[in-house]
Amino acid sequence: MATEAIKILVGIGSPLIGRLVLYDALRMQFRELKLSRDTSCPVCGDKPEVTGLFEDYDAWYDDYWVNAPAGQEAAD
Amino acid sequence: MRSSAEIIEEVRQEIPEVSVDEVKAEQDRGEDFVLLDVRDDDERRAGYIPGAVHVSRGMLELSIDDYVTDADQKIILYCAGGVRSLLAAKSLKDMGYTDTISMAGGYRSWLTAGYPTEQDKPMTHEQLDRYSRHFMLRQIGEAGQAKLLESKVLLLGAGGLGSPAAVYLAAAGVGTLGVLDSDLVEISNLQRQIAHRTEAIGTPKVQSATTTIKSLNPDVKVVPHQTRLKAENVLEVFEGYDLIVDGCDNFPTRYLVNDAAVLTNKTIVHGSISEFEGQVTVLKPYDGPCYRCLYPAPPPPGMVPS
């Protein structure tokens, strides 16, 4: 994280934009996933639903799962 | 043997020259060219033309492809008086760069014309020693270090992720480090949270991290935020920071941080860990995905390892 921060601040190299690096210390393996921006993202998509900040993210988080549609499991 | 005057005259036949007025006008029109300062480090310290890339004449052939990869990119070179830049432009042309131009009269003429200049904050002898290993990395150099010293980074969390990030960024000489955490140091933190010491047990993590950072590098200004991030304070806390390093430990905050960062167009260096596995990515609004592009909604509370 510190190296990425320094690269961005100095403006050198290729930062991890659009890439997720997964690190497994027990196997000592690194994997890299390519990630794309989602044009239907509620925050940074072409038609964002979230254009301000919720009143209370803790409450939203609780509400989301108390009122979650039936059958919906973990989003990821 | 040819005299230097003869060589310069020969090169003048081959390399086009432009006046400082033309360079200024091209800059003002926003034209696409790389302005390359080929003077030595100590000359650059006294001031340089805004927007110029610095590669000293001695390192030119070795380092130019770090800055210019397109052989047809227009490059305008300058030195102090316009001779070294002429010879440097010839060297680049011989390397295969097709559009190299020398600024006649150099930096001295730029100054005489009264055009704007910039100067990095002069470093002390101690700083020149402290960051000498950064200067040896040609991608960082004195110019990169000056950028770090002017940078403001907000660390969210001074725990398992925030601690090492804080220590490394402080060591590297990031000028301002904001540290946000509401917790107190506990003895069970110390096995991994290296910004805290045994004697800090029971004190606020932001205070403990401040002590560690200041003793490691007194150049760093620490801004402690002993608070939890909420919708009502997040925009105020983010204000003034160039970059956010997110090492927070819970999902509501992670979503809040993401949404606020997109709204304020700030880049996040995101990390998370669980046991032996870790993840890292950079979320730059509109340039790549944001956190919600990846995870539109949080996992159910029971699914989250703590």
Side-chain angles (χ1 to χ4, degrees), chain A:
Chain A
M1 291 171 84
T3 311
E4 285 304 301
I6 288 170
K7 281 162 56 187
I8 295 164
L9 296 171
V10 178
I12 56 173
S14 312
L16 276 175
I17 299 166
R19 297 184 288 147
L20 177 71
V21 169
L22 306 166
Y23 165 58
D24 181 335
L26 285 183
R27 292 193 176 87
M28 192 35 93
Q29 280 182 343
F30 289 87
R31 283 198 301 148
E32 185 178 312
L33 303 180
K34 287 222 180 312
L35 307 172
S36 305
R37 197 177 138 226
D38 180 358
T39 52
S40 63
C41 170
V43 182
C44 75
D46 296 339
K47 289 177 188 163
E49 296 151 34
V50 180
T51 53
L53 299 170
F54 286 89
E55 286 290 296
D56 184 337
Y57 274 68
D58 287 314
W60 165 67
Y61 179 74
D62 294 341
D63 281 355
Y64 184 87
W65 287 104
V66 172
N67 305 319
Q72 186 169 346
E73 297 300 330
D76 55 338

Side-chain angles (χ1 to χ4, degrees), chain B residues 45-211:
Chain B
R45 261 175 228 152
Y48 54 90
I49 300 177
V53 171
H54 177 239
V55 184
S56 65
R57 175 79 184 90
M59 293 299 290
L60 186 66
E61 292 86 349
L62 303 175
S63 300
I64 185 64
D65 59 357
D66 291 334
Y67 301 95
V68 186
T69 46
D70 176 5
D72 297 322
Q73 169 72 53
K74 178 176 174 179
I75 307 171
I76 300 179
L77 298 89
Y78 75 89
C79 60
V83 174
R84 280 175 295 167
S85 59
L86 193 68
L87 300 174
K90 165 81 167 114
S91 289
L92 292 187
K93 197 177 173 203
D94 291 345
M95 286 177 75
Y97 290 92
T98 60
D99 196 2
T100 65
I101 299 162
S102 173
M103 187 174 88
Y107 188 69
R108 277 197 296 273
S109 292
W110 184 271
L111 280 180
T112 309
Y115 292 140
T117 59
E118 275 176 15
Q119 188 175 14
D120 295 335
K121 216 166 139 189
M123 285 188 216
T124 62
H125 286 296
E126 193 184 301
Q127 286 176 319
L128 291 173
D129 282 343
R130 179 183 286 271
Y131 304 117
S132 59
R133 295 306 184 272
H134 268 170
F135 303 155
M136 290 164 72
L137 301 171
R138 61 177 195 267
Q139 295 88 342
I140 297 187
E142 284 188 36
Q145 189 62 52
K147 283 186 197 167
L148 290 177
L149 286 165
E150 290 296 311
S151 296
K152 296 175 179 170
V153 173
L154 175 62
L155 293 146
L156 299 178
L161 291 165
S163 279
V167 171
Y168 275 115
L169 294 177
V174 171
T176 303
L177 284 177
V179 183
L180 184 141
D181 206 308
S182 60
D183 290 344
L184 306 181
V185 178
E186 295 176 31
I187 193 167
S188 62
N189 299 149
L190 300 181
Q191 143 272 14
R192 65 195 182 284
Q193 299 182 15
I194 58 171
H196 312 298
R197 309 281 137 152
T198 302
E199 55 270 28
I201 292 169
T203 66
K205 282 188 177 176
V206 291
Q207 186 187 316
S208 160
T210 303
T211 306

